[in-house]
Amino acid sequence: MSETVEREVGRSRPRKEDARLLTGQTNWTDNISVGGLLHLAILRSPMAHARIDRVDVTPALERPGVVAAFSGSDLAEGMGSLPCAWPVTEDIVLPDHPPIAVDEVRYAGDPVAVVVARDRYAAADALEAIEVDYTPLPPVLDLEAALTENSPLVHSDKNTNRSYLWPLKTGEDFDAVRRRAEVTLKRRYVHQRLIANAMEPRGVVVTPLAASGEYTLYSSTQIPHILRIMLAVVTGVPEHKLRVIAPDVGGGFGSKLQVYGEEAIALTVARRLGRPVKWTESRSEGYLATHHGRGMIQDVEIAANRDGKLLGLKADLLVDMGAYLMLVTPGIPILGAFMYPGIYKMGSYELNVTGVFTTKTPTDAYRGAGRPEATYAIERIMDELAVELGLDPVELRRRNWIGHEEFPYTTIAGLTYDSGNYEAATEKALALFDYDKLRAEQADRNRRGDSVRLGIGVSTYTEMCGLAPSRVLRDLRYAAGGWEAASIRVLPTGKVEVVTGTSPHGQGHVTCWSQIAADVLGVPFEDVQVVHGDTRAAPQGMDTYGSRSLVVGGTAIHHAARKVVDKARKVAAHLLEASEQDLEFTDGVFSVKGSPDARKTLQELAFETFSSHDLPDGMEPTINAGHVTDPDNFSYPHGTHLCAVEVDTETGRSHIRSYVCVDDVGKVINPMIVEGQVHGGLAQGIAQALYEEAVYDDQGNLVSGTMADYLVPSAPDLPEFVTDRTETPSTTNPLGVKGVGEAGTIASTPAVVNAIVDALRPLGVTEVRMPCTPERVWRAIEEASA
């Protein structure tokens, strides 16, 4: 484009989406109301594990406003098992997962009956009238105990609580490396369960068209296209008769990357009654019924020489599946499996992942999905190794990371990192953080024996995102592909519609996709409209998760827009009586080289094509185009995060004094949106380090089931972040972009915990289990002093 026209890509455009959000002109699932709408309420098991002896819903039918009530056995005929799309091994134990329990409940919150009423309050009130007789069964809560010979079974017909064992061994044998290493360290790290707290709870509305057997399902989901396919399989509704719409979706963080039982139940009930139905979860219901994240024990061993050179890494993981395998439950730790070596060079790597059933809410994707766990393990043990070797933690990392001149680099885990510059990101972060000055202050405080200690945490990371290469997903036994689709429609008036298969829930797709299309097509940003989240309006797509939207979906838009330009070029050449090679395309205008007055705008060509009065022979009357892209590789953002924490040794309170992060996400489409994504990711990563934890009692009851018990940090609980970027463009897509949605979450948790342990190490503390609450920090200090 000419110097007089500012490019959209790289510009901090205010988000197009925000005007509707800020003025309340939104269309959340719970806002949807249609004539004759009925409301669902779901009775959930109060027990973690029990046999269902009797369910009697007839008393509920006598309550005012109640239209119908169903037990699990009443609905079983219309529903199959909920899907698991990622059976990671050939011999995986994959139990049936009924959307509503019939014979046995396996976690507190498992659905057992449904009431349908004329309003939501009547439906909720009628639940208490349903009679259920249970025979208690022993809960299964501890991951290690669950694998012992005498453990009760979550699924008695499977004869084991082990779902799968997934091994990965590359390079030199780790046992041999261990024998010749000058230093070896072993550590155990525990990742607590986390519960997503999206601003909008989950909700479903189903409207049937009885005459034709068609159904429209609105859901607060990240995956309308995948949901459509899976619900067709689960309920038997033909896929071409089912339309799925994700309207405005208020956040997800992975929790809405799911095919939930409530969606299948709502569709089945609407089909049974021939009436539209709605279900919206309460916040406390969501704590029980929306899948949880994390839940993992990591036994990590690292081997090195005295000079700090890494030789090998081994990790054994016990991963909490919960009661059932949901859409991608088994695959979450596999996503992280390739990231345990991080940004470091070594000659041996071994990983063993064991999936374990428990009588708890199922786990699945949560922001970062396996990669924060991997980064935590390697960055925590790198700090421990630095202490063992007497090296500064930054210096140890320098001695082992992949140099910028070595890219593309194939890691010991088998991934090929296309580009990166860990040195540049780290140096910029150290300067912004004033690292040396803080180290000096820390040493001074330690000499004085201050009651408030200063700790400095380092976290360097990379991640595999842009979940896409279909052949790689095939090799990992993932059921679906990773491609993404887009199409560009240039309307007769010259306005542009971008149709995308990605489905936003707060990321700013509408704005960024408009910027990409505007630059390629040379049209005003304001003239671009983005269509998404509707399987009829945008029939092809693989949806939104794994930081794939820009890398895969944005690339598809770029290619589709280029195809529009190529088609328009043929029309312009015909009308201008010139060869295509003699045409220049700048700022949305085709002109003949050397004859700038001979010109046609894209808008003019759109109308000429619409009228089709004078088109090249054999050309269809359209310049619209579509593209489906399937990348050859993941993308690999990276960065360095530094955290300074003050720890009050008398109270255990940890206060983040400063936090600096320098991320490299390749080319940036909209800096303001990138900044927002980084801030949000930091908040969730810090929350795992300091605040959030799903806690169960010894009977399997969730005791942190409300916002009064589950601590979600608010703005005053978080520090001012200093953020910056370096830029090494990706070489695997034409935009040069990498992912950003999960970066902050991946890097921040180990940075904070490393800082806390660093502050307390002079007192003998070497580990504080997350979340590092004041009580846990205080107890760690007391135990060390004892």
Side-chain angles (χ1 to χ4, degrees), residues 609-639:
T609 307
F610 166 71
S611 69
S612 66
H613 291 167
D614 187 12
L615 295 181
D617 291 342
M619 182 174 182
E620 296 177 325
T622 179
I623 57 172
N624 299 342
H627 188 84
V628 178
T629 192
D630 195 347
D632 296 325
N633 196 1
F634 301 98
S635 71
Y636 300 97
H638 68 83

Side-chain angles (χ1 to χ4, degrees), residues 194 253 294 366-367 641 656 659 661 675-692 710-719 721 723 741-749 752:
L194 301 177
F253 312 121
R294 311 290 191 258
Y366 182 90
R367 197 171 190 170
H641 288 221
I656 298 178
Y659 195 103
C661 64
E675 189 85 353
Q677 287 287 307
V678 170
H679 278 213
L682 292 175
Q684 284 188 274
I686 291 170
Q688 179 175 2
L690 295 180
Y691 300 110
E692 297 187 26
Y710 185 93
L711 186 56
V712 179
S714 60
D717 300 310
L718 298 169
F721 304 124
T723 64
E742 296 162 302
T745 307
I746 289 167
S748 56
T749 307
V752 174

